[in-house]
Amino acid sequence: VGGSSLTFTMPLVQQQAATEAVATAAGGTCPANSDCVGYSLSVPAATANTGTFSTSGTSYTQASGSASYSVEADATGCSPSSATTSNTSANAALTPAPGASVQAATLALTGCQ
């Protein structure tokens, strides 16, 4: 691993899939003339174990430091149809500490039909 980064899709903690489908709706905390949705995701705060396959045995290592996350939103009928953030709402890295909550930056998709 040594200084390089690795990006992969992982299942959400306590869920069976790596994605969560949510429906948007007007009202509540939504800005005027828009639809929105609130959500929460449970993710591990530790870095992932990685391994190199070998026929003589696979060895695993765990990188040091904290795990950093990206959140992606995809929608049909919007332009653009996808938005991604790796930042919190305070513009810091999306890196949760064990047992803590962080708020991801708002993902806004416009021009939706």
Side-chain angles (χ1 to χ4, degrees):
V1 175
S4 63
S5 63
L6 177 66
T7 301
F8 57 95
T9 300
M10 58 183 285
L12 299 172
V13 175
Q14 301 173 350
Q15 296 181 41
Q16 298 298 317
T19 60
E20 181 177 21
V22 293
T24 60
T29 59
C30 299
N33 302 315
S34 70
D35 292 348
C36 67
V37 65
Y39 61 91
S40 65
L41 307 172
S42 296
V43 296
T47 57
N49 288 324
T50 58
T52 304
F53 174 78
S54 170
T55 55
S56 61
T58 302
S59 60
Y60 293 93
T61 58
Q62 185 172 22
S64 61
S66 301
S68 295
Y69 288 91
S70 294
V71 177
E72 179 180 355
D74 297 310
T76 55
C78 298
S79 178
S81 61
S82 181
T84 303
T85 186
S86 298
N87 294 328
T88 66
S89 56
N91 206 29
L94 196 50
T95 307
S101 295
V102 294
Q103 183 173 342
T106 298
L107 297 174
L109 301 170
T110 59
C112 301
Q113 303 299 315

